[in-house]
Amino acid sequence: HLPWGRTCKQWYQRRVRGIKKEMGDVPRIIHLSEGVDKYAPDFTEMNEENLSAFAQNYLDGKLKKHLNSEEIPEDWDALPVKVLVGKNFEQVVYDPTKDVLVEFYAPWCGHCKQLVPIYDELGEKYKDHPSIVIAKMDSTANEVDDVNVRGFPTLKFFPKG
């Protein structure tokens, strides 16, 4: 237990997710700027050589950001409101033939819960439109590059082309 204030706990839970107690010691580089960029090593053995190489690769700009993603659900596109996760986000959102509206939500968010019937109705209205996609993504379990979600719900429009 760490004696953090509520704000610190919320930040940690939202931004440094993916690290679980049962994983043991897990090195990460976390760069705090406008958002939070995380970098995970590609090694499991914790030693001076691996940690030094990890830090140097970060300083040299050779590391790729670590972004959390759930697995793609088999039925992600079965309902009018499509379910996005980190692993299918780019494929769907940056499709040059589609206009895509995405709701970035948190399952525990009251405003998000209030939006569900309205957003489902919108999905129903456009479900047969060939170039419009209405989608949602649980931002507590999935992260994507270049989309900064600062509150819930966040709606973003990605035009085709």
Side-chain angles (χ1 to χ4, degrees), residues 55-115:
Q56 191 60 54
N57 285 338
Y58 171 75
L59 294 171
D60 293 343
K62 294 179 180 176
L63 295 181
K64 190 174 179 188
K65 287 183 199 174
H66 173 76
L67 300 169
N68 292 318
S69 178
E70 295 175 298
E71 293 302 317
I72 301 172
E74 281 187 33
D75 61 347
W76 73 271
D77 62 348
L79 297 174
V81 176
K82 310 308 177 204
V83 177
L84 301 182
V85 296
K87 292 180 178 179
N88 69 348
F89 182 84
E90 285 189 17
Q91 168 198 350
V92 175
V93 167
Y94 298 119
D95 180 334
T97 65
K98 310 244 190 251
D99 287 316
V100 183
L101 180 66
V102 180
E103 175 199 8
F104 297 90
Y105 73 95
W108 45 259
C109 166
H111 292 14
C112 299
K113 291 175 183 178
Q114 289 177 332
L115 184 59

Side-chain angles (χ1 to χ4, degrees), residues 25-29 39-59 63:
D25 293 332
V26 180
R28 292 284 190 266
I29 293 176
Y39 300 88
D42 59 359
F43 60 83
T44 54
E45 185 181 342
M46 194 88 75
N47 61 41
E48 184 178 347
E49 181 181 338
N50 284 342
L51 289 170
S52 292
F54 179 50
Q56 191 60 54
N57 285 338
Y58 171 75
L59 294 171
L63 295 181

Side-chain angles (χ1 to χ4, degrees), residues 5-33:
R6 182 172 179 224
T7 304
C8 292
K9 284 182 187 175
Q10 289 172 337
W11 172 84
Y12 180 81
Q13 290 167 346
R14 285 191 304 209
R15 300 296 183 193
V16 190
R17 49 192 167 223
I19 300 174
K20 296 177 176 50
K21 188 183 222 177
E22 57 271 10
M23 294 170 78
D25 293 332
V26 180
R28 292 284 190 266
I29 293 176
I30 300 171
H31 179 185
L32 301 174
S33 56

